[in-house]
Amino acid sequence: MAKGDPITDEKREEIRKQIRELHAEGKSRNAIAKILGRSGRTISEEAGHIGISFAARAGQVAAATEVRQADLADRRAAFAIKLQDIAEREAAKISQPLLYWDWGGKEHDFDTHLAPEPTPADKRALMGTVATALDRSLKLVPPKDESGVEEGLALITQLMSGLTAVYKAQQQDQEADEGA
């Protein structure tokens, strides 16, 4: 989509000068387009006329993007480990003694009680915490089961081959019956 006024011969030299300067400052094609109020295509065309290319920077941007994506994957994996730890810690509480406390009574006393295990309602709450932590952990870093995939594909291939053979045999029998 075109932006700005049409480029006249008078404006063209000024735009090309600005492109040279902004390119020398290390600005990207899209940044230059935004600064000058022009489309990216216009900037590329005008830059091409003065011998400027943005292709070299494309490789740098791609490499930087790849590094950033790898960093984010590492951070997701680290956070998935933290969520797994939370799930395991909370799951262990389900069968452990639990200290209950309360403020109450006429004198507003503080009281504690050590139960041999959590109440059913507290167990349900702990299970919800465990389930949520595990679910989020698995979404961040899904488990890899590559051996099952290969076996499944081999089984499907065998099945398709068998079905193809049966179909061909049926077709041949049908043709033989029609010919007789």
Side-chain angles (χ1 to χ4, degrees):
M1 180 170 127
K3 296 180 180 180
D5 298 329
I7 300 177
T8 61
D9 289 338
E10 298 87 39
K11 288 183 184 178
R12 181 164 278 115
E13 287 307 312
E14 178 60 28
I15 288 173
R16 289 179 179 178
K17 178 184 172 197
Q18 290 173 323
I19 291 172
R20 266 190 218 98
E21 291 170 358
L22 294 169
H23 183 268
E25 291 175 16
K27 302 279 189 217
S28 68
R29 181 197 74 158
N30 291 342
I32 294 172
K34 187 174 183 177
I35 291 168
L36 298 182
R38 300 287 173 176
S39 70
R41 180 179 176 189
T42 299
I43 299 303
S44 293
E45 287 174 358
E46 293 301 321
H49 288 297
I50 57 176
I52 292 175
S53 172
F54 295 98
R57 291 195 183 137
Q60 293 171 342
V61 169
T65 300
E66 189 174 324
V67 167
R68 177 76 174 139
Q69 288 173 342
D71 288 345
L72 287 173
D74 289 344
R75 290 174 63 193
R76 279 192 305 274
F79 195 68
I81 291 169
K82 288 179 183 179
L83 288 170
Q84 183 70 32
D85 291 343
I86 290 169
E88 291 173 6
R89 184 181 66 239
E90 295 303 306
K93 291 179 182 178
I94 292 172
S95 59
Q96 300 293 320
L98 184 64
L99 181 66
Y100 286 95
W101 56 270
D102 190 20
W103 289 94
K106 182 177 160 186
E107 300 296 323
H108 200 61
D109 294 330
F110 179 77
D111 189 27
T112 61
H113 167 70
L114 184 63
E117 61 182 31
T119 65
D122 288 338
K123 285 182 179 182
R124 188 172 42 251
L126 287 167
M127 287 301 294
T129 302
V130 169
T132 300
L134 283 175
D135 180 59
R136 298 303 182 256
S137 172
L138 291 171
K139 285 185 179 179
L140 287 171
V141 182
K144 295 180 183 176
D145 184 20
E146 297 166 3
S147 62
V149 171
E150 291 175 12
E151 290 171 7
L153 288 174
L155 182 62
I156 290 171
T157 302
Q158 287 176 339
L159 179 62
M160 291 303 294
S161 296
L163 289 173
T164 302
V166 168
Y167 177 76
K168 285 181 180 177
Q170 287 177 344
Q171 290 296 88
Q172 289 174 352
D173 289 345
Q174 188 177 9
E175 289 173 7
D177 288 343
E178 290 174 1

